Amino acid sequence: MAEFDHEQLLKKFREGNCTEEELAIIESWYADWNMNDHIHLSEAELRKAESLMRNQVMGRIGIRTVQFWPRISMIAASVVLITSICFYLLKLETSRKAITKPAIASTEILAGKEGATLTLANGQKIKLGKSVQGHLASQGAINITKSVKGEITYTVQDQSNSKGKTDGHNPEMLFNTLNTGKGETFKVKLPDGSLVWLNADSKITFPVNMEAEKERKVNLIGEGYFEVAKDAAHPFVVSVSGTSEFSGQEIRVLGTHFNINSYPGESNAATTLLEGSISLTVEGLKFTRKLTPGQQAEVKSNNVRISEVDTENAVAWKNGYFYFDRTDITTVMNQISRWYDVNVVYEGKVPDAHITGKVHRNANLSEALQILKYLDINYVVVDRTIKIRP
């Protein structure tokens, strides 16, 4: 396309009607722009263009790393007074042609993997991983198995022998705890049929017989995504412990899909609803609110903020990605620390930078840390510690 058609092409881009060839031309513009160019976008158009480009790039095959829009970063910085950059580190797709992959250095830190530890009511600990399958343990009338698909399943052998059916209360209620360490993630099918995905460094405690009480109550620390089995007679309740940074919460549902992020040490906790409805109660604030799909409740100190969000961001970890949307460096590095089981040390002031983009969680640490290079942030990896330098 001729250079004098750039205004028309930009108009098509704003409307989301560009072909792949036209989009490539625009990408080259953004890569080469300098402050003397005369094509301008409003702040609203910047946000829309960022989303359009993200969707286009994510659908492509074979792109390893794409960096673009330095001009947009500069304009946005002048508006919101932060350093911002768009990057995309995509999953390596297998080509139809044979590709020789370079050898991984012995010092390379690999991505996290499937794994967890199951602690039974009697204190017995069972280490779980991909290689562990079949029958794991029995607790009374409950059999615990791990399927070939990698999920733990609780099965009641003979419900008539299961204690706890008297007056809706069981004085001998048994609880199990499933926890993931740093660098681990796991999926569990709870005794009631609900599915839970645990992110790294997280823990869920739940009753072995979830019908023994009037409520199916579990406790979560860290981050978990829930797909709750419907049971109107037994509401599902998730209890989230509070920290010095945010108040404890209680999420009450009958059957729905939602994500809870409540890591100790973080500045806030967030509950995001994808499907159905939930009732959120925040301890100490006399705050109770029903959420609708697409809403997120963010709890910070003694404040609660309800907003409409992109739910893909909240569950990206479950789908194999880090997903950042103008995310501050501290939050980004906390996620990297948990997934790669590394420490992060700031040897000077924490960089005032924000990141937007998507990184596949199967990338090695050195690949994931490319995001820091794009921001001109100096760092060094020593053993299992990332040192952020001035």
Side-chain angles (χ1 to χ4, degrees), residues 147-201:
S147 70
V148 293
K149 294 182 179 180
E151 68 182 29
I152 297 177
T153 301
Y154 285 72
T155 306
V156 179
Q157 281 183 310
D158 184 356
Q159 206 158 7
S160 63
N161 292 332
S162 180
K163 297 182 179 180
K165 290 297 181 178
T166 303
D167 298 327
H169 178 70
N170 182 1
E172 297 180 11
M173 177 71 76
L174 302 179
F175 288 87
N176 283 183
T177 297
L178 183 72
N179 69 279
T180 54
K182 286 188 173 183
E184 293 183 327
T185 185
F186 209 80
K187 176 184 177 182
V188 59
K189 186 175 184 178
L190 298 179
D192 69 330
S194 297
L195 297 176
V196 181
W197 286 256
L198 285 184
N199 203 349
D201 199 17

Side-chain angles (χ1 to χ4, degrees), residues 50 58 77 110 112 128 140 163 191 213 215 223 237 258 274 348 351:
E50 179 184 51
M58 286 305 145
L110 304 180
L128 304 172
K163 297 182 179 180
E213 298 285 344
E215 296 178 338
E223 184 166 20
V237 180
F258 59 97
L274 285 77

Side-chain angles (χ1 to χ4, degrees), residues 92-375:
L92 283 173
E93 301 290 348
T94 302
S95 172
R96 292 182 181 178
K97 297 181 180 180
I99 299 177
T100 302
K101 295 184 178 181
I104 298 175
S106 59
T107 56
E108 180 65 272
I109 297 177
L110 304 180
K113 61 185 183 302
E114 176 186 299
T117 300
L118 177 65
T119 303
L120 305 181
N122 62 5
Q124 178 186 353
K125 294 182 181 296
I126 303 174
K127 186 65 178 176
L128 304 172
K130 282 190 175 181
S131 61
V132 180
Q133 293 181 5
H135 183 266
L136 300 178
S138 295
Q139 295 177 113
I142 306 293
N143 276 337
I144 308 173
T145 59
K146 182 170 180 286
S147 70
V148 293
K149 294 182 179 180
E151 68 182 29
I152 297 177
T153 301
Y154 285 72
T155 306
V156 179
Q157 281 183 310
D158 184 356
Q159 206 158 7
S160 63
N161 292 332
S162 180
K163 297 182 179 180
K165 290 297 181 178
T166 303
D167 298 327
H169 178 70
N170 182 1
E172 297 180 11
M173 177 71 76
L174 302 179
F175 288 87
N176 283 183
T177 297
L178 183 72
N179 69 279
T180 54
K182 286 188 173 183
E184 293 183 327
T185 185
F186 209 80
K187 176 184 177 182
V188 59
K189 186 175 184 178
L190 298 179
D192 69 330
S194 297
L195 297 176
V196 181
W197 286 256
L198 285 184
N199 203 349
D201 199 17
S202 300
K203 179 170 69 173
I204 184 171
T205 300
F206 53 91
V208 174
N209 185 350
M210 298 189 75
E211 294 182 357
E213 298 285 344
K214 294 180 179 179
E215 296 178 338
R216 298 172 286 166
K217 194 167 186 176
V218 304
N219 182 272
L220 175 73
I221 296 176
E223 184 166 20
Y225 172 76
F226 293 77
E227 292 187 356
V228 177
K230 294 182 178 180
D231 183 354
H234 299 86
F236 193 96
V237 180
V238 183
S239 178
V240 178
S241 301
T243 71
S244 59
E245 299 295 335
F246 54 82
S247 302
Q249 304 163 63
E250 186 175 88
I251 296 90
R252 184 176 297 270
V253 304
L254 293 178
T256 188
H257 299 179
F258 59 97
N259 190 84
I260 301 174
N261 183 310
S262 61
Y263 282 107
E266 296 282 7
S267 62
N268 66 307
T271 299
T272 309
L273 181 63
L274 285 77
E275 179 182 309
S277 66
I278 62 176
S279 176
L280 172 72
T281 299
V282 181
E283 297 175 359
L285 298 184
K286 295 182 179 180
F287 178 94
T288 299
R289 180 75 62 84
K290 285 188 177 181
L291 300 186
T292 57
Q295 287 188 325
Q296 180 181 84
E298 183 180 5
V299 181
K300 186 172 184 178
S301 298
N302 292 322
N303 297 308
V304 182
R305 183 169 67 97
I306 308 294
S307 59
E308 301 288 335
V309 298
D310 180 359
T311 57
E312 180 186 357
N313 191 342
V315 299
W317 66 271
K318 168 185 165 292
N319 298 325
Y321 291 93
F322 295 105
Y323 190 107
F324 305 122
D325 184 8
R326 296 180 292 280
T327 307
D328 63 86
I329 289 296
T330 300
T331 301
V332 170
M333 296 310 297
N334 284 347
Q335 291 189 33
I336 288 177
S337 171
R338 286 190 290 265
W339 184 234
Y340 292 95
D341 189 13
V342 294
N343 298 314
V344 178
V345 175
Y346 300 92
E347 296 187 337
K349 182 180 177 181
V350 177
D352 183 17
H354 289 68
I355 292 176
T356 292
K358 193 172 183 179
V359 180
H360 204 284
R361 290 187 11 143
N362 72 356
N364 298 326
L365 177 63
S366 61
E367 296 170 329
L369 290 180
Q370 293 296 313
I371 59 180
L372 300 183
K373 291 185 178 180
Y374 296 144
L375 291 170

